[in-house]
Amino acid sequence: MSISVLGIGTVSALGCGIDTVREGLEGKARPVIEEHNISFTDGEALLKVYKASINGLDRYVARPALRRIDRFNQMALLSSFLAIDDSGIIPEDRERIGIVFGSGYGPLQTTFSFLDSLIDFGDRCASPTLFANSVHNSLASQASILLKIQGPCLTISCFEQTTCSVMSTAISWLREGIVDYVLAGVGDESCDVRSYATLLLGGGGCSEINPLSFDECSYLYGEGFVVFLLGVGTTDRGYCNLISAETGENEVSGDHEILFLAANGDKETGRFYRPLINNRGRVRAYSPLYGGMPVGNGFDIAIAALSLKEGVVYPLPLLAPLLAPLQAPVPGEISSGITVVPEQIDNNTGNARISCVGFDGNGNYSLITLAK
Amino acid sequence: MRLEDELKSLIITELKLVDVKPEDLKDNDPLFGEGLGLDSLDAVELVVLLQKHYRIETKNLEQSREAFSSVKSLADYVRGNKGKK
């Protein structure tokens, strides 16, 4: 049974919608990278953060209905609407659609606002709205309520393994016939505490992410959400097929025709990606477009699906031009020796396959494979 | 600033009311139902607002029902209870 990627919705530093991701890949758009000034007990610091914008949610939901939904949940909601729009499918039986969302850290901004209010004013001042949004499962439940979806509804949070868990859950639901469609999505958001944690780990201070330079930390953290509408079907529907989502330890075995690395400039996980540079097939890393986050491989899946649909493996994002005035991509070589010339792939049915790999700090990997 | 105006700004900010400005709110307009349209969850947020900004604990539900009926009644309630424990 084939599982198809039928539609994709994204909210990221590149903008809203899969077209903004394509523009980023083509060098026509740059991610918004803001400077955050954070203060803490020992002083203050400036660091760069990939900042997502949420535009157009009021096209789908009346503004008053959004007032109790925090920014992170709004990102998930908008991505869901965009994924359904992108698919062109209007599923009629809302009981046959499932939602499985994931986040590495959950709704951090609201969680810490809620905790701050408890610390400052005591539990008598616990805001029910803040509390409701601070619960991880609010992601899937808010989407379920506003999209009127009545199938199974689940939120998963397990750091770098989140995307893989979300995708494998979606595959199981579809293969077992529990639902006909699944909205599967992952995301993370920015907040001061995350900025501080990034600073402690040595990130945030560099000017750009250099994902394939494993000897130095060039980590900049990002935020965003990506949702896929998945369904049972054939490859002629939507983007491509979702073949598998699996986890393992330490070594990713075998050679892969095309391998997308979720490497994001973090030195700790970088050592696990290094051997994969020797993969016999083509290797890419796109984190400079969306920023570092535990669920960054969700955006790699979106890029893989786009690549398979269009029959193109997009070049590695040229790093310097992302932060400088916009320039057209120039074919050539970067330090790793990997070519940046755009390459065509044979996307006739059965001929192309892309694997997206992500590591956590302990060397556990997740491998998600898509094919056309 | 008048307490009534301060409360209007706080209600709009804390309850995240969209498309409502302080000047749109009249002192005697009802906050719930056909007035501003607040609901039971907003009532809890109002209790939190009073505790957070004025250190007023609201325990008597009947009393609060009356106090929360308009900005004017809320301001009177704050004046009458501020500083009490």
Side-chain angles (χ1 to χ4, degrees), chain A residues 13-35:
Chain A
L14 288 164
C16 302
I18 190 67
D19 287 342
T20 63
V21 176
R22 183 190 287 107
E23 286 167 7
L25 290 162
E26 292 171 348
K28 294 174 182 167
R30 293 175 293 153
V32 174
I33 302 173
E34 290 182 357
E35 288 195 325

Side-chain angles (χ1 to χ4, degrees), chain A residues 196-354:
Chain A
Y196 182 62
T198 298
L199 206 63
L200 290 182
L201 295 170
C206 49
S207 59
E208 61 197 23
I209 296 176
N210 196 348
L212 301 179
S213 174
F214 303 114
D215 296 323
E216 57 181 3
C217 178
S218 64
Y219 182 80
L220 299 177
Y221 88 79
E223 64 170 7
F225 216 96
V226 54
V227 172
F228 304 91
L229 179 66
L230 305 174
V232 176
T234 57
T235 47
D236 57 353
R237 288 180 77 194
Y239 288 79
C240 61
N241 281 347
L242 176 60
I243 303 299
S244 62
E246 57 193 83
T247 56
E249 289 177 16
N250 297 320
E251 260 183 50
V252 178
S253 58
D255 272 307
H256 299 267
E257 186 189 344
I258 305 166
L259 197 57
F260 287 2
L261 312 182
N264 53 29
D266 171 41
K267 205 173 162 185
E268 186 65 23
T269 50
R271 61 197 162 115
F272 299 113
Y273 290 106
R274 187 194 294 271
L276 295 174
I277 289 296
N278 300 320
N279 178 64
R280 248 184 265 163
R282 286 163 279 192
V283 175
R284 298 287 185 273
Y286 296 105
S287 59
L289 290 178
Y290 53 78
M293 55 185 124
V295 297
N297 50 349
F299 285 92
D300 288 340
I301 296 171
I303 294 168
L306 199 57
S307 300
L308 288 166
K309 183 182 180 185
E310 302 194 346
V312 172
V313 176
Y314 291 94
L316 285 158
L318 289 174
L319 305 175
L322 292 174
L323 300 170
L326 190 60
Q327 298 170 11
V330 181
E333 299 270 327
I334 62 168
S335 56
S336 66
I338 292 170
T339 177
V340 295
V341 178
E343 293 176 56
Q344 299 291 317
I345 56 172
D346 182 358
N347 68 339
N348 290 319
T349 302
N351 286 345
R353 183 174 283 244
I354 298 177

Side-chain angles (χ1 to χ4, degrees), chain B residues 32-82:
Chain B
F32 291 81
E34 288 180 8
L36 194 55
L38 302 187
D39 58 24
S40 57
L41 197 52
D42 292 313
V44 182
E45 295 288 3
L46 281 177
V47 171
V48 173
L49 181 154
L50 292 177
Q51 169 82 18
K52 217 160 94 174
H53 293 275
Y54 302 103
R55 301 282 174 191
I56 296 172
E57 284 186 31
T58 306
K59 292 176 182 169
N60 185 326
L61 287 178
E62 277 309 307
Q63 195 183 22
S64 63
R65 191 189 300 269
E66 197 179 316
F68 292 176
S69 62
S70 68
V71 171
K72 169 83 170 59
S73 61
L74 195 58
D76 291 342
Y77 181 70
V78 171
R79 286 188 193 99
N81 289 277
K82 207 172 172 184

Side-chain angles (χ1 to χ4, degrees), chain A residues 157-216:
Chain A
S157 182
C158 47
F159 302 105
E160 284 84 358
Q161 302 290 337
T162 301
T163 306
C164 195
S165 296
V166 165
M167 290 302 177
S168 62
T169 303
I171 291 170
S172 298
W173 287 359
L174 289 164
R175 288 201 173 140
E176 289 171 20
I178 295 169
V179 288
D180 298 326
Y181 299 98
V182 178
L183 277 173
V186 292
D188 270 302
E189 73 167 336
S190 65
C191 84
D192 285 349
V193 176
R194 199 168 155 214
S195 295
Y196 182 62
T198 298
L199 206 63
L200 290 182
L201 295 170
C206 49
S207 59
E208 61 197 23
I209 296 176
N210 196 348
L212 301 179
S213 174
F214 303 114
D215 296 323
E216 57 181 3

Side-chain angles (χ1 to χ4, degrees), chain A residues 81-96:
Chain A
F81 280 112
L82 291 171
I84 292 171
D85 271 6
D86 185 50
S87 73
I89 294 170
I90 305 169
E92 287 178 7
D93 187 352
R94 299 285 164 140
E95 289 184 4
R96 298 289 300 166

